[in-house]
Coordinates of all heavy atoms in Angstrom, one line a residue:
M1 N -20.9 -10.5 17.1 CA -20.1 -9.7 16.1 C -20.9 -8.8 15.3 O -22.1 -9.0 14.8 CB -19.4 -10.8 15.3 CG -18.5 -10.1 14.1 SD -17.5 -11.3 13.4 CE -18.4 -11.6 11.8
A2 N -20.5 -7.6 15.2 CA -21.3 -6.6 14.4 C -21.2 -6.9 13.0 O -20.2 -7.1 12.4 CB -20.8 -5.2 14.7
D3 N -22.5 -6.7 12.4 CA -22.3 -7.2 11.0 C -23.6 -6.3 10.4 O -24.6 -6.3 10.8 CB -22.8 -8.7 10.8 CG -22.8 -9.2 9.4 OD1 -22.6 -8.3 8.4 OD2 -22.9 -10.3 9.2
C4 N -23.2 -5.5 9.4 CA -24.1 -4.6 8.8 C -25.1 -5.4 7.9 O -26.3 -4.9 7.4 CB -23.4 -3.4 7.9 SG -22.5 -4.0 6.5
G5 N -24.7 -6.7 7.4 CA -25.6 -7.4 6.8 C -25.5 -7.3 5.3 O -25.1 -6.3 4.8
C6 N -25.9 -8.3 4.6 CA -25.8 -8.3 3.0 C -26.4 -7.2 2.4 O -26.0 -6.6 1.5 CB -26.3 -9.6 2.5 SG -25.1 -11.0 3.1
G7 N -27.7 -7.0 2.9 CA -28.5 -5.9 2.2 C -27.8 -4.5 2.2 O -27.7 -3.9 1.3
T8 N -27.3 -4.1 3.5 CA -26.6 -2.9 3.5 C -25.4 -3.0 2.6 O -25.2 -2.0 2.1 CB -26.1 -2.6 5.0 OG1 -27.4 -2.8 5.8 CG2 -25.6 -1.1 5.1
A9 N -24.8 -4.0 2.7 CA -23.5 -4.0 1.9 C -23.7 -3.9 0.4 O -22.9 -3.2 -0.2 CB -22.6 -5.3 2.3
R10 N -24.8 -4.6 0.0 CA -25.0 -4.5 -1.4 C -25.6 -3.2 -1.8 O -25.4 -2.7 -2.9 CB -25.9 -5.7 -1.9 CG -25.0 -7.0 -1.6 CD -25.6 -8.2 -2.1 NE -24.9 -9.4 -1.8 CZ -24.6 -10.4 -2.5 NH1 -25.2 -10.5 -3.7 NH2 -23.7 -11.4 -2.0
D11 N -26.5 -2.7 -0.9 CA -27.1 -1.3 -1.2 C -25.9 -0.3 -1.5 O -26.0 0.7 -2.4 CB -27.9 -0.9 -0.1 CG -29.2 -1.5 -0.2 OD1 -29.5 -2.2 -1.1 OD2 -30.1 -1.2 0.9
G12 N -24.8 -0.4 -0.5 CA -23.8 0.6 -0.6 C -22.7 0.2 -1.5 O -21.8 0.9 -1.7
M13 N -22.8 -1.0 -2.2 CA -21.7 -1.4 -3.1 C -21.3 -0.4 -4.1 O -20.0 -0.1 -4.1 CB -22.1 -2.8 -3.6 CG -21.0 -3.4 -4.3 SD -19.8 -4.1 -3.1 CE -20.6 -5.5 -2.4
E14 N -22.2 0.1 -4.8 CA -21.9 1.0 -5.9 C -21.0 2.2 -5.5 O -20.2 2.6 -5.9 CB -23.2 1.4 -6.5 CG -23.1 2.1 -7.9 CD -22.7 1.1 -9.1 OE1 -23.0 -0.1 -8.9 OE2 -22.1 1.5 -10.0
D15 N -21.6 2.8 -4.3 CA -21.0 4.0 -3.7 C -19.6 3.7 -3.2 O -18.8 4.3 -3.3 CB -21.9 4.7 -2.7 CG -23.1 5.4 -3.4 OD1 -23.1 5.6 -4.6 OD2 -24.1 5.5 -2.6
F16 N -19.6 2.5 -2.6 CA -18.5 2.0 -2.0 C -17.2 1.8 -3.0 O -16.1 2.2 -2.9 CB -18.6 0.7 -1.2 CG -17.4 0.1 -0.6 CD1 -17.0 0.5 0.6 CD2 -16.8 -1.1 -1.3 CE1 -15.9 -0.1 1.2 CE2 -15.7 -1.7 -0.6 CZ -15.2 -1.1 0.6
L17 N -17.7 1.3 -4.1 CA -16.7 1.0 -5.3 C -16.2 2.4 -5.8 O -15.1 2.5 -6.2 CB -17.3 0.3 -6.4 CG -17.5 -1.2 -6.2 CD1 -18.5 -1.7 -7.1 CD2 -16.2 -1.9 -6.2
H18 N -17.1 3.5 -5.7 CA -16.7 4.7 -6.3 C -16.0 5.6 -5.2 O -15.9 6.9 -5.4 CB -17.8 5.3 -6.9 CG -18.2 4.7 -8.1 ND1 -19.4 4.0 -8.2 CD2 -17.6 4.6 -9.5 CE1 -19.4 3.4 -9.5 NE2 -18.4 3.7 -10.2
N19 N -15.8 5.1 -4.0 CA -15.4 5.9 -2.8 C -16.3 7.0 -2.6 O -15.7 8.1 -2.1 CB -13.9 6.3 -3.1 CG -12.8 5.2 -3.1 OD1 -12.9 4.3 -2.2 ND2 -12.0 5.2 -4.0
E20 N -17.4 6.7 -2.6 CA -18.6 7.8 -2.3 C -19.2 7.5 -1.0 O -20.3 8.1 -0.8 CB -19.5 8.1 -3.5 CG -18.7 8.8 -4.6 CD -19.6 8.6 -6.0 OE1 -20.6 7.9 -5.9 OE2 -19.1 9.1 -7.0
V21 N -18.8 6.7 -0.1 CA -19.4 6.4 1.1 C -18.7 7.2 2.3 O -17.4 7.5 2.1 CB -19.6 4.9 1.4 CG1 -20.5 4.3 0.5 CG2 -18.3 4.2 1.3
D22 N -19.3 7.4 3.3 CA -18.6 8.1 4.5 C -17.8 7.0 5.2 O -17.9 5.8 4.9 CB -19.6 8.8 5.3 CG -20.6 7.9 6.0 OD1 -20.4 6.9 6.2 OD2 -21.8 8.5 6.3
E23 N -16.9 7.6 6.2 CA -16.0 6.5 6.7 C -16.7 5.5 7.5 O -16.2 4.4 7.3 CB -15.2 7.4 7.8 CG -14.1 6.7 8.5 CD -13.0 6.1 7.7 OE1 -13.0 6.6 6.5 OE2 -12.3 5.3 8.1
S24 N -17.8 5.7 8.3 CA -18.5 4.7 9.0 C -19.0 3.6 8.1 O -19.0 2.5 8.3 CB -19.4 5.1 9.9 OG -20.5 5.6 9.4
M25 N -19.6 4.0 7.0 CA -20.2 3.1 6.1 C -19.0 2.3 5.3 O -19.3 1.3 5.0 CB -20.9 4.0 4.9 CG -21.6 3.2 3.9 SD -23.2 2.4 4.4 CE -24.1 2.1 2.9
R26 N -18.0 2.9 5.1 CA -16.9 2.2 4.4 C -16.3 1.2 5.3 O -16.0 0.2 4.9 CB -15.7 3.3 4.1 CG -14.7 2.8 3.2 CD -13.6 3.8 3.0 NE -12.9 3.9 4.2 CZ -12.0 3.1 4.7 NH1 -11.6 2.1 4.1 NH2 -11.3 3.4 5.9
V27 N -16.3 1.5 6.6 CA -15.8 0.5 7.6 C -16.8 -0.7 7.6 O -16.4 -1.9 7.7 CB -15.5 1.1 9.0 CG1 -15.2 0.1 9.9 CG2 -14.3 2.0 8.9
D28 N -18.2 -0.3 7.8 CA -19.0 -1.5 7.8 C -19.0 -2.4 6.7 O -19.0 -3.5 6.8 CB -20.5 -0.7 7.7 CG -20.8 -0.2 9.3 OD1 -20.2 -0.6 10.3 OD2 -21.9 0.5 9.3
I29 N -18.9 -1.8 5.4 CA -19.0 -2.6 4.2 C -17.6 -3.3 4.2 O -17.7 -4.7 3.9 CB -19.1 -1.7 3.0 CG1 -20.6 -1.1 3.1 CG2 -19.0 -2.7 1.7 CD1 -20.9 -0.1 1.8
S30 N -16.6 -2.8 4.5 CA -15.4 -3.6 4.2 C -15.2 -4.7 5.2 O -14.7 -5.7 5.0 CB -14.0 -2.7 4.2 OG -14.0 -1.9 5.4
D31 N -15.7 -4.3 6.5 CA -15.9 -5.4 7.7 C -16.8 -6.6 7.1 O -16.3 -7.8 7.2 CB -16.5 -4.9 8.8 CG -15.4 -4.2 9.7 OD1 -14.2 -4.1 9.4 OD2 -15.8 -3.7 10.8
H32 N -17.9 -6.2 6.5 CA -18.7 -7.2 5.9 C -18.2 -8.1 4.8 O -18.3 -9.3 4.8 CB -20.1 -6.6 5.5 CG -21.1 -7.7 5.1 ND1 -21.8 -8.4 5.9 CD2 -21.4 -8.0 3.8 CE1 -22.5 -9.2 5.2 NE2 -22.3 -9.0 4.0
L33 N -17.5 -7.4 3.9 CA -16.7 -8.1 2.8 C -15.7 -9.1 3.4 O -15.5 -10.2 2.7 CB -16.1 -7.1 2.0 CG -17.0 -6.2 1.1 CD1 -16.2 -5.2 0.3 CD2 -18.1 -7.0 0.4
A34 N -15.1 -8.7 4.4 CA -14.0 -9.5 5.1 C -14.6 -10.9 5.6 O -13.9 -11.9 5.7 CB -13.2 -8.9 6.2
C35 N -15.9 -10.9 5.9 CA -16.4 -12.1 6.5 C -17.6 -12.7 5.6 O -18.3 -13.7 6.1 CB -16.9 -11.9 7.9 SG -18.2 -10.7 8.0
C36 N -17.9 -12.1 4.5 CA -19.0 -12.7 3.7 C -18.6 -12.9 2.3 O -18.5 -12.0 1.5 CB -20.0 -11.6 3.7 SG -21.5 -12.2 2.8
P37 N -18.3 -14.2 2.0 CA -17.6 -14.6 0.6 C -18.6 -14.1 -0.6 O -18.2 -13.7 -1.6 CB -17.5 -16.0 0.6 CG -17.5 -16.5 2.0 CD -18.3 -15.4 2.8
G38 N -19.9 -14.2 -0.3 CA -21.0 -13.9 -1.3 C -20.8 -12.4 -1.7 O -20.6 -12.1 -2.8
C39 N -20.7 -11.6 -0.7 CA -20.6 -10.0 -1.0 C -19.2 -9.7 -1.4 O -19.0 -8.8 -2.3 CB -21.0 -9.3 0.3 SG -22.6 -9.3 0.7
E40 N -18.2 -10.5 -1.0 CA -16.8 -10.3 -1.4 C -16.7 -10.5 -3.0 O -16.1 -9.7 -3.7 CB -15.9 -11.1 -0.7 CG -14.5 -10.6 -0.7 CD -13.5 -11.6 -0.3 OE1 -13.8 -12.7 -0.1 OE2 -12.2 -11.2 -0.4
D41 N -17.4 -11.6 -3.4 CA -17.4 -11.7 -4.7 C -18.1 -10.7 -5.6 O -17.6 -10.2 -6.5 CB -18.3 -13.1 -5.1 CG -17.5 -14.3 -5.1 OD1 -16.3 -14.3 -4.9 OD2 -18.1 -15.5 -5.3
E42 N -19.2 -10.2 -5.1 CA -20.0 -9.2 -5.7 C -19.0 -7.9 -6.0 O -19.0 -7.3 -6.9 CB -21.1 -8.9 -4.8 CG -22.2 -7.9 -5.4 CD -23.2 -8.6 -6.1 OE1 -23.0 -9.9 -6.4 OE2 -24.2 -8.0 -6.4
W43 N -18.2 -7.7 -4.7 CA -17.4 -6.6 -4.7 C -16.2 -6.8 -5.7 O -15.9 -5.8 -6.5 CB -16.8 -6.4 -3.4 CG -15.6 -5.5 -3.2 CD1 -15.8 -4.2 -3.3 CD2 -14.3 -5.7 -3.0 NE1 -14.5 -3.5 -3.3 CE2 -13.7 -4.5 -2.9 CE3 -13.6 -6.9 -2.8 CZ2 -12.2 -4.4 -2.7 CZ3 -12.2 -6.8 -2.5 CH2 -11.6 -5.6 -2.4
R44 N -15.7 -7.9 -5.9 CA -14.5 -8.1 -6.8 C -15.0 -7.9 -8.2 O -14.3 -7.3 -9.0 CB -14.0 -9.6 -6.7 CG -13.1 -9.7 -5.4 CD -12.6 -11.2 -5.5 NE -12.1 -11.5 -4.2 CZ -11.1 -11.0 -3.6 NH1 -10.2 -10.2 -4.3 NH2 -10.5 -11.3 -2.4
V45 N -16.3 -8.5 -8.5 CA -16.7 -8.2 -9.9 C -17.0 -6.8 -10.2 O -16.6 -6.1 -11.1 CB -18.2 -9.0 -10.0 CG1 -18.8 -8.5 -11.3 CG2 -17.9 -10.5 -10.1
G46 N -17.5 -6.1 -9.2 CA -17.9 -4.7 -9.2 C -16.6 -4.0 -9.4 O -16.4 -2.9 -10.2
Q47 N -15.5 -4.3 -8.6 CA -14.2 -3.5 -8.8 C -13.6 -3.8 -10.1 O -13.0 -2.8 -10.8 CB -13.4 -4.2 -7.7 CG -12.4 -3.2 -7.3 CD -11.4 -3.7 -6.2 OE1 -11.1 -5.0 -6.3 NE2 -10.9 -3.0 -5.3
A48 N -13.6 -4.9 -10.6 CA -13.2 -5.3 -12.0 C -13.8 -4.5 -13.0 O -13.1 -3.8 -13.8 CB -13.2 -6.7 -12.4
I49 N -15.0 -4.2 -13.0 CA -15.8 -3.3 -13.8 C -15.4 -2.0 -13.7 O -15.2 -1.3 -14.7 CB -17.4 -3.7 -13.7 CG1 -17.7 -5.0 -14.2 CG2 -18.1 -2.6 -14.5 CD1 -19.2 -5.4 -13.8
T50 N -15.4 -1.5 -12.5 CA -15.1 -0.1 -12.2 C -13.8 0.3 -12.7 O -13.6 1.3 -13.4 CB -15.1 0.1 -10.8 OG1 -16.4 -0.2 -10.1 CG2 -15.0 1.7 -10.3
N51 N -12.7 -0.7 -12.5 CA -11.4 -0.3 -12.9 C -11.3 -0.4 -14.5 O -10.5 0.6 -15.0 CB -10.5 -1.5 -12.4 CG -10.2 -1.2 -10.9 OD1 -10.4 -0.2 -10.3 ND2 -9.7 -2.3 -10.3
S52 N -12.0 -1.3 -15.1 CA -11.9 -1.3 -16.7 C -12.5 -0.1 -17.1 O -12.1 0.5 -18.2 CB -12.3 -2.4 -17.2 OG -13.6 -2.7 -17.0
V53 N -13.6 0.4 -16.6 CA -14.3 1.7 -16.9 C -13.3 2.9 -16.8 O -13.1 3.7 -17.7 CB -15.6 1.9 -16.3 CG1 -16.1 3.3 -16.7 CG2 -16.7 0.8 -16.7
K54 N -12.8 2.9 -15.6 CA -11.7 3.9 -15.2 C -10.6 4.0 -16.3 O -10.2 5.0 -16.7 CB -11.3 3.7 -13.9 CG -11.6 4.9 -12.9 CD -10.7 4.7 -11.6 CE -11.9 4.3 -10.4 NZ -11.2 3.9 -9.3
R55 N -10.1 2.8 -16.6 CA -9.1 2.7 -17.4 C -9.4 3.3 -18.8 O -8.6 4.1 -19.4 CB -8.4 1.3 -17.5 CG -7.2 1.0 -16.7 CD -6.4 -0.1 -17.4 NE -7.3 -1.3 -17.5 CZ -7.5 -2.1 -16.4 NH1 -7.0 -1.9 -15.3 NH2 -8.3 -3.2 -16.6
A56 N -10.4 2.8 -19.2 CA -11.0 3.3 -20.6 C -11.1 4.8 -20.7 O -10.8 5.5 -21.7 CB -12.3 2.6 -21.0
C57 N -11.6 5.4 -19.6 CA -11.8 6.7 -19.5 C -10.6 7.7 -19.2 O -10.6 8.7 -19.8 CB -12.9 7.2 -18.5 SG -14.5 6.5 -18.8
C58 N -9.7 7.3 -18.5 CA -8.8 8.1 -18.0 C -7.4 7.8 -18.6 O -6.4 8.6 -18.4 CB -8.5 8.1 -16.4 SG -10.0 8.4 -15.5
E59 N -7.3 6.8 -19.3 CA -5.9 6.5 -19.9 C -5.6 7.6 -20.8 O -6.2 8.2 -21.6 CB -6.1 5.1 -20.9 CG -4.8 4.3 -20.7 CD -5.1 2.9 -21.2 OE1 -5.7 2.8 -22.3 OE2 -4.8 2.0 -20.4
E60 N -4.2 7.9 -20.7 CA -3.4 8.9 -21.7 C -3.7 8.4 -23.0 O -3.7 7.2 -23.4 CB -2.0 8.9 -21.3 CG -1.7 9.8 -20.3 CD -1.2 11.2 -20.8 OE1 -1.1 11.1 -22.2 OE2 -0.9 12.1 -20.2
A61 N -4.0 9.2 -24.0 CA -4.0 9.0 -25.3 C -2.7 8.2 -25.8 O -1.6 9.0 -25.4 CB -4.3 10.1 -26.3
P62 N -2.6 7.2 -26.5 CA -1.3 6.6 -26.9 C -0.6 7.6 -27.7 O -1.2 8.3 -28.5 CB -1.8 5.4 -27.7 CG -3.2 5.4 -27.8 CD -3.9 6.6 -26.9
Q63 N 0.8 7.5 -27.7 CA 1.7 8.4 -28.4 C 1.3 8.4 -29.9 O 1.2 9.5 -30.5 CB 3.1 7.8 -28.1 CG 4.2 8.9 -28.4 CD 4.0 10.1 -27.4 OE1 3.5 10.1 -26.4 NE2 4.2 11.3 -28.1
E64 N 1.1 7.2 -30.4 CA 0.7 7.1 -31.8 C -0.5 8.0 -32.3 O -0.4 8.8 -33.2 CB 0.3 5.8 -32.2 CG 1.4 5.0 -32.9 CD 1.1 3.5 -33.1 OE1 -0.1 3.2 -33.6 OE2 1.7 2.5 -32.6
L65 N -1.4 7.9 -31.3 CA -2.7 8.7 -31.6 C -2.5 10.2 -31.6 O -2.8 11.0 -32.3 CB -3.8 8.4 -30.6 CG -5.0 9.1 -30.7 CD1 -5.7 8.8 -32.0 CD2 -6.1 8.6 -29.6
K66 N -1.6 10.6 -30.5 CA -1.2 12.0 -30.5 C -0.4 12.4 -31.8 O -0.7 13.5 -32.2 CB -0.3 12.2 -29.2 CG -1.1 12.2 -27.9 CD -0.1 12.6 -26.7 CE -0.6 12.5 -25.5 NZ 0.4 12.3 -24.4
Q67 N 0.5 11.6 -32.2 CA 1.3 12.0 -33.3 C 0.5 12.1 -34.6 O 0.5 13.1 -35.4 CB 2.3 11.0 -33.6 CG 3.6 11.1 -32.7 CD 4.5 10.0 -32.7 OE1 4.3 9.0 -33.5 NE2 5.6 10.3 -32.2
S68 N -0.5 11.2 -34.7 CA -1.4 11.3 -35.9 C -2.5 12.4 -35.8 O -2.7 13.1 -36.8 CB -2.1 10.0 -36.1 OG -3.1 9.8 -35.2
I69 N -2.7 12.8 -34.5 CA -3.5 14.2 -34.5 C -2.7 15.3 -35.0 O -3.1 16.2 -35.6 CB -4.1 14.3 -33.0 CG1 -5.1 13.3 -32.8 CG2 -4.7 15.6 -32.8 CD1 -5.6 13.1 -31.3
H70 N -1.4 15.4 -34.4 CA -0.5 16.5 -34.7 C -0.3 16.6 -36.2 O -0.4 17.7 -36.9 CB 0.7 16.4 -34.1 CG 0.9 16.7 -32.5 ND1 0.5 18.0 -32.1 CD2 1.0 16.0 -31.5 CE1 0.5 18.1 -30.8 NE2 0.8 16.8 -30.3
Q71 N -0.1 15.4 -36.8 CA 0.0 15.3 -38.2 C -1.2 15.8 -39.0 O -1.0 16.7 -39.9 CB 0.2 13.7 -38.6 CG 0.6 13.6 -40.0 CD 2.0 13.5 -40.3 OE1 2.9 13.2 -39.3 NE2 2.4 13.9 -41.4
A72 N -2.3 15.4 -38.6 CA -3.5 15.9 -39.3 C -3.6 17.3 -39.1 O -4.1 18.0 -40.1 CB -4.7 15.1 -38.6
L73 N -3.3 17.9 -37.9 CA -3.4 19.3 -37.7 C -2.5 20.2 -38.7 O -2.9 21.1 -39.2 CB -3.1 19.7 -36.3 CG -4.2 19.3 -35.1 CD1 -3.7 19.6 -33.8 CD2 -5.5 20.0 -35.4
R74 N -1.3 19.6 -38.7 CA -0.2 20.2 -39.6 C -0.7 20.1 -41.1 O -0.5 21.3 -41.7 CB 1.1 19.5 -39.5 CG 2.0 20.1 -38.5 CD 3.5 19.7 -38.6 NE 3.7 18.3 -38.6 CZ 3.8 17.5 -37.5 NH1 3.9 18.2 -36.3 NH2 4.1 16.2 -37.5
E75 N -1.3 19.1 -41.5 CA -1.7 19.0 -42.8 C -2.9 19.8 -43.1 O -3.0 20.2 -44.4 CB -2.0 17.4 -43.2 CG -0.8 16.6 -43.4 CD -1.0 15.2 -43.4 OE1 -2.3 14.8 -43.3 OE2 -0.1 14.5 -43.5
S76 N -3.7 20.2 -42.2 CA -4.8 21.1 -42.4 C -4.4 22.5 -42.5 O -5.3 23.4 -42.9 CB -5.8 20.8 -41.4 OG -5.5 21.3 -40.1
D77 N -3.2 22.8 -42.1 CA -2.9 24.3 -42.2 C -2.8 24.8 -43.7 O -2.3 24.2 -44.6 CB -1.4 24.4 -41.7 CG -1.5 24.8 -40.3 OD1 -2.5 25.1 -39.8 OD2 -0.3 24.8 -39.6
Ligands
ZN1 ZN1 -22.9 -10.4 2.7

């Protein structure tokens, strides 16, 4: 069975999480994750971190915040 190995999977993990690997690398790593619980754990943790960072950066400003900004702008006129 073809196996890129833990070293390759973990080296590429960061880029894999950010979708910055090429197609063959992506396939290699996802195949490896499917059969290696250790690396799969690593990936899940990385994914959780990546997602929470993404949420924090990309989330729309809450409506309340927008309103208070508008309010502040109006008051400064
Ligand atoms: Zn592994």
Side-chain angles (χ1 to χ4, degrees):
M1 178 163 104
D3 187 350
C4 68
C6 293
T8 311
R10 291 187 190 215
D11 280 353
M13 189 68 71
E14 194 71 29
D15 291 339
F16 180 76
L17 286 164
H18 294 105
N19 290 319
E20 286 165 1
V21 290
D22 61 28
E23 181 65 14
S24 71
M25 183 77 160
R26 196 183 64 76
V27 171
D28 278 352
I29 295 177
S30 55
D31 277 359
H32 181 77
L33 295 178
C35 64
C36 179
C39 289
E40 201 199 1
D41 271 1
E42 191 89 347
W43 170 69
R44 283 184 199 284
V45 171
Q47 206 182 32
I49 294 168
T50 305
N51 286 341
S52 60
V53 170
K54 239 187 251 169
R55 258 201 304 279
C57 296
C58 303
E59 213 163 59
E60 273 260 355
Q63 200 60 35
E64 259 173 52
L65 180 61
K66 283 186 190 164
Q67 277 167 356
S68 69
I69 292 170
H70 282 299
Q71 185 89 30
L73 288 173
R74 269 200 300 271
E75 279 167 8
S76 71
D77 266 351

